[in-house]
Amino acid sequence: MIKHFKPAIILFFIFSVLTGVIYPAVVTGLAQLLLPRQANGSLITDGGGKTIGSGLIGQPFSSPGHFWGRPSATGPFPYNAGASSGSNLGPTNPALVDAVKARIEALKAADPDNKALVPVDLITSSGSGLDPHISPAAAEYQINRVAKARNIAPAKLRELVQAHTEGRQWGLFGESRVNVLNLNLALEALR
């Protein structure tokens, strides 16, 4: 009977070392060698080297003088990377309808002169709840509010949004988008 268990135990330890130690070490080493910025979380730092965020995870902005990102569905606090998930509320769920109505009212209250339709990505969260991007239309919707709060010409903000609009990935996938953290950092640099 031991002769049947011995090969199984040996293979268990071999594959444990192979798949639990060697493979992760090789993949981590290759990632650090070939794509170090991405492997370390696409961190964004300020001029002093202090980490202020990630280009892959959204951050909450609520000041009228900043562009706002998509709502986050994570808990216990917004953009919690350890709790990535969508709201899992269906389109007919009254909780989702109420949340969307409240977000529309908050956007209208922040900029009562804006009569444009609210872009959907400003009132609904993404599938992960962490999306750091908004559509160019969502950025355009916020220009007048930010311009008033910062006393900047809207045309200057349109140029800034255009300069921070990323095209489709590899020219094929997805839609044009604006990274909210990068846009707000550029906005701060205007001061």
Side-chain angles (χ1 to χ4, degrees):
M1 177 131 148
I2 291 183
K3 73 177 184 173
H4 295 291
F5 284 117
K6 186 176 179 183
I9 292 170
I10 291 171
L11 283 174
F12 171 76
F13 284 110
I14 289 172
F15 281 113
S16 293
V17 170
L18 183 65
T19 61
V21 178
I22 295 172
Y23 175 76
V26 169
V27 170
T28 301
L30 285 172
Q32 290 295 330
L33 181 69
L34 300 174
L35 303 164
R37 186 175 145 322
Q38 292 88 339
N40 292 311
S42 299
L43 299 177
I44 297 173
T45 56
D46 64 10
K50 179 183 173 195
T51 300
I52 53 175
S54 168
L56 302 174
I57 298 174
Q59 292 188 9
F61 291 97
S62 58
S63 162
H66 285 107
F67 287 90
W68 300 343
R70 290 189 81 161
S72 175
T74 66
F77 52 88
Y79 305 102
N80 177 3
S84 174
S85 69
S87 67
N88 293 329
L89 299 176
T92 58
N93 188 312
L96 178 63
V97 173
D98 292 343
V100 167
K101 284 180 183 177
R103 292 170 186 153
I104 291 171
E105 289 173 14
L107 286 166
K108 296 282 186 187
D111 190 8
D113 298 332
N114 193 342
K115 303 301 181 203
L117 291 175
V118 178
V120 71
D121 52 327
L122 287 178
I123 56 175
T124 58
S125 63
S126 65
S128 68
L130 302 173
D131 197 351
H133 298 96
I134 56 175
S135 65
E140 174 67 32
Y141 180 85
Q142 301 179 70
I143 285 176
N144 289 329
R145 184 197 73 236
V146 175
K148 287 177 192 171
R150 290 189 175 253
N151 198 23
I152 298 175
K156 180 76 173 166
L157 289 179
R158 279 188 185 84
E159 290 174 16
L160 193 66
V161 167
Q162 184 64 35
H164 286 84
T165 299
E166 304 167 14
R168 295 171 176 241
Q169 188 171 8
W170 302 313
L172 297 171
F173 303 111
E175 296 296 326
S176 296
R177 60 204 177 279
V178 180
N179 185 295
V180 177
L181 177 58
N182 288 335
L183 180 59
N184 283 330
L185 289 173
L187 190 59
E188 290 297 323
L190 287 178
R191 288 187 169 183

